[in-house]
Amino acid sequence: VQLQASGGGLVQAGGSLRLSCAASGRTFSSYTIGWFRQAPGKEREFVATISWSGGTTVYADSVKGRFAISRDNAKNAVYLQMNRLKPEDTAIYYCAADHKFTVVPDTYDYWGQGTLVTVSS
């Protein structure tokens, strides 16, 4: 499966953005999709993940209550709605796919190219 993340940009603190992860491949609906982010000088960290059916989601504590992950298997897409953004949310955001349901980035087999989110204070 090939992934492409989009929707990043510059937003003021308190604002919102919606990231999209578009996938190619007929087996998209069989994959867990995760969102991860990497800030300058920091390691890649887990943000959110959604099971193949969309029935199970997990969030990092730092984004819980502010971000929402969803998917539309008919459109081969996963979304990350980000609300009440903070400057510490500034990072490159990546979507990734794997058949396992996991929050560990190293276990994901397929990665998109990333989209930059910048939150100004």
XYZ file of all heavy atoms in Angstrom, residues 1-8 19-23 34-38 44 91-97 110-117:
260
model
N 0.851 -1.182 0.000
C 0.000 0.000 0.000
C 0.894 1.241 0.000
O 1.923 1.261 0.668
C -0.956 -0.011 1.214
C -0.195 0.029 2.530
C -1.927 1.157 1.139
N 0.500 2.242 -0.775
C 1.225 3.519 -0.797
C 0.377 4.593 -0.128
O -0.833 4.647 -0.332
C 1.544 3.909 -2.238
C 2.567 2.986 -2.902
C 2.916 3.429 -4.313
O 2.066 3.895 -5.055
N 4.184 3.309 -4.667
N 1.030 5.441 0.646
C 0.333 6.441 1.443
C 0.829 7.839 1.108
O 2.018 8.031 0.843
C 0.553 6.174 2.936
C 0.207 4.779 3.440
C 0.685 4.606 4.871
C -1.284 4.536 3.346
N -0.075 8.807 1.172
C 0.290 10.200 0.963
C -0.475 11.062 1.950
O -1.701 11.110 1.920
C -0.007 10.637 -0.465
C 0.424 12.058 -0.776
C 0.317 12.395 -2.253
O 0.036 11.528 -3.075
N 0.538 13.644 -2.585
N 0.272 11.737 2.810
C -0.326 12.626 3.797
C -0.423 14.041 3.242
O 0.462 14.484 2.493
C 0.499 12.621 5.073
N -1.471 14.749 3.628
C -1.657 16.124 3.189
C -2.484 16.879 4.221
O -3.033 16.271 5.148
C -2.350 16.170 1.822
O -3.639 15.590 1.905
N -2.560 18.189 4.035
C -3.398 18.998 4.897
C -2.671 19.832 5.924
O -3.283 20.580 6.673
N -1.352 19.692 5.977
C -0.588 20.480 6.920
C -0.564 21.948 6.539
O -0.989 22.337 5.454
N -5.856 16.721 8.751
C -4.914 16.010 7.908
C -5.618 14.856 7.218
O -6.526 14.235 7.792
C -3.745 15.486 8.721
C -2.958 16.512 9.536
C -1.765 15.831 10.205
C -2.518 17.686 8.697
N -5.166 14.569 6.012
C -5.691 13.435 5.261
C -4.551 12.497 4.895
O -3.433 12.931 4.644
C -6.378 13.901 3.977
O -7.495 14.710 4.268
N -4.862 11.226 4.865
C -3.913 10.203 4.428
C -4.620 9.418 3.331
O -5.570 8.675 3.607
C -3.516 9.304 5.583
S -2.394 7.961 5.129
N -4.163 9.616 2.102
C -4.746 8.917 0.964
C -3.917 7.686 0.652
O -2.685 7.749 0.651
C -4.791 9.841 -0.248
N -4.587 6.592 0.404
C -3.889 5.337 0.170
C -4.263 4.740 -1.176
O -5.383 4.914 -1.664
C -4.215 4.345 1.272
N -1.911 4.432 11.338
C -1.477 5.255 12.453
C -0.979 6.610 11.985
O -0.491 6.752 10.858
N -1.109 7.593 12.851
C -0.505 8.902 12.647
C 0.630 9.056 13.652
O 0.463 8.750 14.834
C -1.510 10.025 12.842
C -2.452 10.222 11.696
C -3.728 9.769 11.602
C -2.193 10.948 10.490
N -4.289 10.159 10.407
C -3.355 10.886 9.705
C -1.097 11.646 9.983
C -3.463 11.485 8.456
C -1.195 12.246 8.735
C -2.359 12.165 7.987
N 1.746 9.552 13.170
C 2.914 9.803 13.995
C 3.425 11.199 13.679
O 3.061 11.770 12.661
C 4.000 8.763 13.714
C 3.563 7.360 14.004
C 2.860 6.635 13.048
C 3.827 6.768 15.229
C 2.423 5.340 13.321
C 3.403 5.478 15.510
C 2.699 4.764 14.550
N 4.256 11.733 14.538
C 4.828 13.049 14.272
C 6.265 13.108 14.761
O 6.656 12.370 15.667
C 3.999 14.147 14.936
C 3.993 14.124 16.461
C 3.001 15.151 16.989
N 2.995 15.197 18.452
C 2.133 15.914 19.161
N 1.189 16.647 18.542
N 2.199 15.915 20.477
N 7.016 13.982 14.123
C 8.395 14.188 14.507
C 8.706 15.677 14.514
O 8.644 16.333 13.464
C 9.345 13.446 13.570
C 10.794 13.467 14.031
C 11.644 12.451 13.299
O 11.281 11.957 12.228
N 12.783 12.116 13.876
N 10.541 10.344 16.465
C 9.178 10.177 15.975
C 8.315 9.623 17.103
O 8.716 8.700 17.803
C 9.168 9.237 14.774
C 7.870 9.184 14.026
C 8.038 8.436 12.723
N 8.986 9.095 11.829
C 9.190 8.729 10.568
N 8.521 7.704 10.056
N 10.057 9.370 9.822
N 5.186 19.880 14.125
C 5.960 18.695 13.741
C 5.620 18.323 12.303
O 4.680 18.869 11.720
C 5.636 17.513 14.656
N 6.390 17.403 11.777
C 5.998 16.745 10.533
C 5.130 15.553 10.928
O 5.537 14.746 11.774
C 7.211 16.279 9.724
C 8.082 17.476 9.332
C 6.760 15.532 8.469
C 9.377 17.103 8.663
N 3.970 15.455 10.321
C 3.029 14.385 10.629
C 3.056 13.340 9.514
O 2.976 13.682 8.327
C 1.621 14.948 10.794
C 1.413 15.637 12.112
C 2.025 16.861 12.383
C 0.633 15.067 13.117
C 1.868 17.490 13.598
C 0.463 15.698 14.342
C 1.095 16.901 14.576
O 0.932 17.526 15.794
N 3.151 12.099 9.917
C 3.216 10.983 8.983
C 2.051 10.026 9.232
O 1.675 9.795 10.378
C 4.506 10.194 9.172
C 5.780 10.972 8.967
C 6.357 11.673 10.019
C 6.421 10.988 7.731
C 7.539 12.383 9.841
C 7.597 11.695 7.544
C 8.144 12.385 8.612
O 9.318 13.083 8.435
N 1.536 9.445 8.172
C 0.623 8.330 8.335
C 1.357 7.053 7.927
O 2.279 7.080 7.102
C -0.658 8.507 7.525
S -0.459 8.717 5.743
N 0.962 5.963 8.540
C 1.622 4.682 8.319
C 0.601 3.569 8.381
O -0.451 3.709 9.027
C 2.721 4.459 9.358
N 0.922 2.456 7.745
C -0.001 1.323 7.671
C 0.691 0.037 8.099
O 1.879 -0.172 7.825
C -0.533 1.176 6.250
N 4.577 0.453 6.209
C 4.398 1.398 5.110
C 4.206 2.801 5.662
O 3.433 3.010 6.603
C 3.183 1.005 4.256
C 3.250 -0.411 3.742
C 2.578 -1.442 4.398
C 4.003 -0.711 2.608
C 2.657 -2.743 3.942
C 4.074 -2.010 2.139
C 3.406 -3.019 2.810
O 3.489 -4.308 2.350
N 4.903 3.775 5.025
C 4.879 5.157 5.497
C 4.625 6.118 4.350
O 5.124 5.917 3.231
C 6.222 5.515 6.145
C 6.430 4.834 7.453
C 6.887 3.560 7.661
C 6.173 5.380 8.742
N 6.915 3.278 9.008
C 6.487 4.377 9.702
C 5.704 6.608 9.193
C 6.352 4.581 11.074
C 5.571 6.819 10.559
C 5.892 5.803 11.481
N 3.878 7.177 4.657
C 3.728 8.272 3.726
C 4.881 9.250 3.873
O 5.748 9.081 4.729
N 4.885 10.308 3.084
C 6.019 11.222 3.028
C 5.969 12.318 4.080
O 6.959 12.998 4.281
C 6.119 11.880 1.640
C 5.293 13.126 1.461
C 3.802 12.872 1.393
O 3.323 11.752 1.527
N 3.044 13.939 1.192
N 4.871 12.507 4.774
C 4.787 13.505 5.825
C 4.241 14.834 5.354
O 4.423 15.225 4.199
N 3.584 15.540 6.274
C 3.076 16.870 6.009
C 3.380 17.740 7.231
O 3.215 17.307 8.366
C 1.566 16.836 5.693
O 1.115 18.141 5.332
C 0.736 16.309 6.859
N 3.847 18.964 6.996
C 4.314 19.824 8.069
C 3.170 20.616 8.684
O 2.411 21.278 7.973
C 5.379 20.778 7.538
C 5.925 21.814 8.528
C 6.619 21.126 9.700
C 6.884 22.773 7.819
N 3.086 20.541 9.997
C 2.127 21.336 10.766
C 2.922 22.294 11.645
O 3.784 21.864 12.410
C 1.231 20.440 11.635
C 0.375 21.289 12.568
C 0.358 19.559 10.747
